[in-house]
Amino acid sequence: MSNIIKIITIVILGAEVLISLLPIVPGIPIIYVTMLIYAIIDGFQQITPLFLVIMLFIAIFSFFIDNIVAWIGAKKYGGSRAGLWGAFFGGVIGVFINPLFGLLLGPFIGAIAAELIFSHRQFFDAVKVGIGTIVGIFGGCILKLLLSVFMVIAFITQVY
């Protein structure tokens, strides 16, 4: 494979690492697709099907990171089962209402609402759980960054 194609692919992957930080934008699956296209062009000489399967599992896992970490954040800040479900459903609904702000505000509002309605918590305690979901979401951004950097480094290791 031409070094120019390798360099172009690595530059594209670097840009996609930055994109993976944005909520809702599927940066890691885009990284996977870029690797797959490279492998097809290369005839699977440097990027093997086994490598692609491993990267596919990482890409699939990345779809669940935002909701999982919102749950963990809510739990760490004292969220009840209702608050955790509120954060989850708030995130899902929020994304449909407004993808950018809905990802942050949906779990926050969902956790607060569920804590107030179903767990009969005090407002301050419910807000604390909502803040935990936001902390979790930012943790998810860091986790997605680490996963995307890992994928790019693994790709570079394979092609060089």
Side-chain angles (χ1 to χ4, degrees), residues 23-72:
I24 295 303
V25 178
I28 293 176
I30 293 170
I31 289 171
Y32 175 77
V33 169
T34 303
M35 290 179 182
L36 178 63
I37 291 169
Y38 180 90
I40 291 169
I41 291 171
D42 186 46
F44 297 95
Q45 296 299 312
Q46 296 173 318
I47 303 297
T48 65
L50 176 61
F51 178 83
L52 289 172
V53 167
I54 293 167
M55 295 297 121
L56 178 62
F57 282 120
I58 292 172
I60 291 169
F61 173 69
S62 75
F63 278 115
F64 301 102
I65 288 175
D66 291 324
N67 283 327
I68 291 170
V69 295
W71 272 40
I72 292 170

Side-chain angles (χ1 to χ4, degrees), residues 6 10 16 23-24 33-34 37 42 53 80 83 89-91 108 110-111 115 144 152 157:
K6 285 181 188 177
I10 291 170
E16 291 168 352
I24 295 303
V33 169
T34 303
I37 291 169
D42 186 46
V53 167
S80 66
F89 286 118
F108 178 74
E115 289 293 339
K144 287 194 302 187
V152 172
T157 303

Side-chain angles (χ1 to χ4, degrees), residues 71-154:
W71 272 40
I72 292 170
K75 188 68 175 167
K76 290 284 184 189
Y77 280 70
S80 66
R81 181 175 290 257
L84 298 178
W85 281 106
F88 174 77
F89 286 118
V92 171
I93 294 167
V95 167
F96 287 112
I97 294 172
N98 182 326
L100 182 58
F101 295 113
L103 182 67
L104 294 174
L105 292 177
F108 178 74
I109 293 169
I112 292 172
E115 289 293 339
L116 290 172
I117 295 168
F118 298 108
S119 297
H120 308 292
R121 298 265 256 339
Q122 296 295 320
F123 181 75
F124 177 76
D125 292 333
V127 169
K128 184 177 165 186
V129 173
I131 290 170
T133 64
I134 300 295
V135 169
I137 289 169
F138 283 116
C141 288
I142 292 169
L143 180 57
K144 287 194 302 187
L145 174 66
L146 293 174
L147 284 175
S148 62
V149 167
F150 168 77
M151 290 176 74
V152 172
I153 289 172

